[in-house]
Amino acid sequence: MSATSNVLMIKPVCFGFNEQTAESNAFQVQSSYDALVQEKALAEFNAFVNVLEANGVHVIIIDDTETPHTPDSIFPNNWISLQDDGRIFLFPMEAKNRRLERRVDIINYFKRNYKVREVVDLSHFESSNKFLESTGSMILDRINKVVYACISSRTDKDVLDNYCDLTEYKPITFSAVDSNGLAIYHTNVMMCLAKKFAVICSDAISNELEREMIINSLQQSHREIIAISFGQMNNFAGNMLELKSKTGENLLVMSERAFKSLNDNQINTLKKYCKIIFSALPTIENIGGGSARCMIAEIYLPINP
């Protein structure tokens, strides 16, 4: 299974700049105080949901809670994975206030409505200061059972190896930095993996052997490689996600900013494989440092009859 038409999104109630994540997330921009940040983020969220639903994606929306305050709750793909084998994985998070995003009521919702055979909680690694932030840290090749992950403060190899042992995935790890030489905190800002293509900022992989290893692995999986520049990565062009509509149409989801950063050749190549859909997310991108892919947790769990 490669893409799903069912997704989880968390509606923000108190979205804002998270100082606890800013140290490792170079995409966050702390602007002067804006009383309308939550209002703007909510409008962007609602418009994005409308775009997804208009294109045949089934979106389960769960409201964030006012307490405890979780400014990054709009990015649920970092703490949960809802897998087709009936398991729910919970992941260790670096920022202490992001750990509060793991909610029992959300897990219970899926237990009631889907076939959940087990909840696998990896959050105990937090006591050892080891983190793995789900599909932010990991790019999953679900067809070939391979995980791509750039190691960072939020992506620990020991936790990754543990996850791969439990899921029988093969880990492929590497180091990646941005144009300023800072470690890329999440793999999904530089890389998107779809069924028939891969979008990657290979320039971010400075080690030539590692870069060659990743390119070779992607080529062996018979995917067309679409290279993006540092500038395009900085505009969230790596933060894309392949979904399917309820009628089976292939969709590639991204932000308006990401789409506008692409050139005609890249767009035409992507359109060979899928319909491109996008929505404007400027407040969420600038304040939260995450984009369209980060806002979506895919649901692969089997549905209760």
Side-chain angles (χ1 to χ4, degrees), residues 113-132:
N113 293 284
Y114 293 81
K115 294 179 182 176
V116 176
R117 68 178 178 90
E118 185 183 7
V119 176
V120 182
D121 188 351
L122 302 179
S123 64
H124 61 87
F125 279 101
E126 289 167 353
S127 63
S128 306
N129 287 317
K130 294 181 177 182
F131 314 109
L132 185 71

Side-chain angles (χ1 to χ4, degrees), residues 224-241:
E224 182 167 2
I225 296 173
I226 300 154
I228 58 171
S229 66
F230 277 121
Q232 290 172 321
M233 181 185 76
N234 291 340
N235 283 295
F236 297 98
N239 200 241
M240 305 170 174
L241 177 65

Side-chain angles (χ1 to χ4, degrees), residues 1-255:
M1 179 180 290
S2 58
T4 180
S5 59
N6 298 303
V7 302
L8 164 69
M9 296 180 69
I10 306 295
K11 182 185 287 189
V13 299
C14 199
F15 176 80
F17 186 84
N18 188 349
E19 292 184 357
Q20 292 187 23
T21 59
E23 184 176 344
S24 61
N25 183 347
F27 290 83
Q28 283 178 248
V29 178
Q30 185 161 25
S31 59
S32 57
Y33 177 73
D34 184 349
L36 298 179
V37 161
Q38 161 60 22
E39 185 178 324
K40 291 176 180 176
L42 180 58
E44 292 171 10
F45 175 90
N46 289 334
F48 186 26
V49 169
N50 289 341
V51 168
L52 292 171
E53 292 180 335
N55 284 278
V57 178
H58 178 230
V59 183
I60 293 172
I61 300 170
I62 295 179
D63 290 349
D64 187 18
T65 54
E66 289 192 10
T67 53
H69 176 44
T70 50
D72 280 335
S73 62
I74 203 169
F75 305 129
N77 80 306
N78 296 148
W79 67 267
I80 193 168
S81 177
L82 306 151
Q83 306 198 160
D84 62 353
D85 63 1
R87 289 189 290 181
I88 296 176
F89 277 79
L90 307 178
F91 289 89
M93 310 280 284
E94 183 180 52
K96 290 181 179 178
N97 62 5
R98 294 217 63 191
R99 300 171 192 178
L100 303 172
E101 295 172 32
R102 294 189 297 256
R103 285 168 48 186
V104 173
D105 62 315
I106 294 177
I107 296 163
N108 287 340
Y109 170 87
F110 286 104
K111 285 181 175 179
R112 289 193 304 271
N113 293 284
Y114 293 81
K115 294 179 182 176
V116 176
R117 68 178 178 90
E118 185 183 7
V119 176
V120 182
D121 188 351
L122 302 179
S123 64
H124 61 87
F125 279 101
E126 289 167 353
S127 63
S128 306
N129 287 317
K130 294 181 177 182
F131 314 109
L132 185 71
E133 298 189 341
S134 191
T135 51
S137 294
M138 301 183 293
I139 304 298
L140 300 175
D141 181 346
R142 300 178 191 273
I143 300 169
N144 299 298
K145 301 209 76 171
V146 172
V147 175
Y148 297 91
C150 67
I151 300 304
S152 72
S153 65
R154 302 199 203 180
T155 305
D156 182 90
K157 192 173 185 305
D158 290 342
V159 193
L160 176 67
D161 288 342
N162 183 242
Y163 174 83
C164 289
D165 287 343
L166 293 169
T167 57
E168 299 182 343
Y169 271 69
K170 173 190 172 184
I172 297 181
T173 60
F174 56 97
S175 298
V177 295
D178 64 17
S179 54
N180 295 315
L182 299 173
I184 290 175
Y185 75 106
H186 276 163
T187 318
N188 75 1
V189 302
M190 61 166 290
M191 184 176 181
C192 162
L193 203 61
K195 185 177 181 180
K196 294 185 177 180
F197 64 89
V199 176
I200 183 168
C201 181
S202 55
D203 290 344
I205 308 171
S206 54
N207 183 291
E208 192 173 327
L209 291 176
E210 289 186 340
R211 184 168 62 249
E212 193 174 300
M213 173 185 67
I214 302 301
I215 297 301
N216 287 342
S217 177
L218 294 172
Q219 289 173 335
Q220 288 167 14
S221 69
H222 305 293
R223 289 177 168 91
E224 182 167 2
I225 296 173
I226 300 154
I228 58 171
S229 66
F230 277 121
Q232 290 172 321
M233 181 185 76
N234 291 340
N235 283 295
F236 297 98
N239 200 241
M240 305 170 174
L241 177 65
E242 184 182 48
L243 296 174
K244 275 196 186 305
S245 73
K246 286 177 253 187
T247 58
E249 183 178 22
N250 293 320
L251 307 170
L252 185 62
V253 182
M254 66 187 77
S255 72

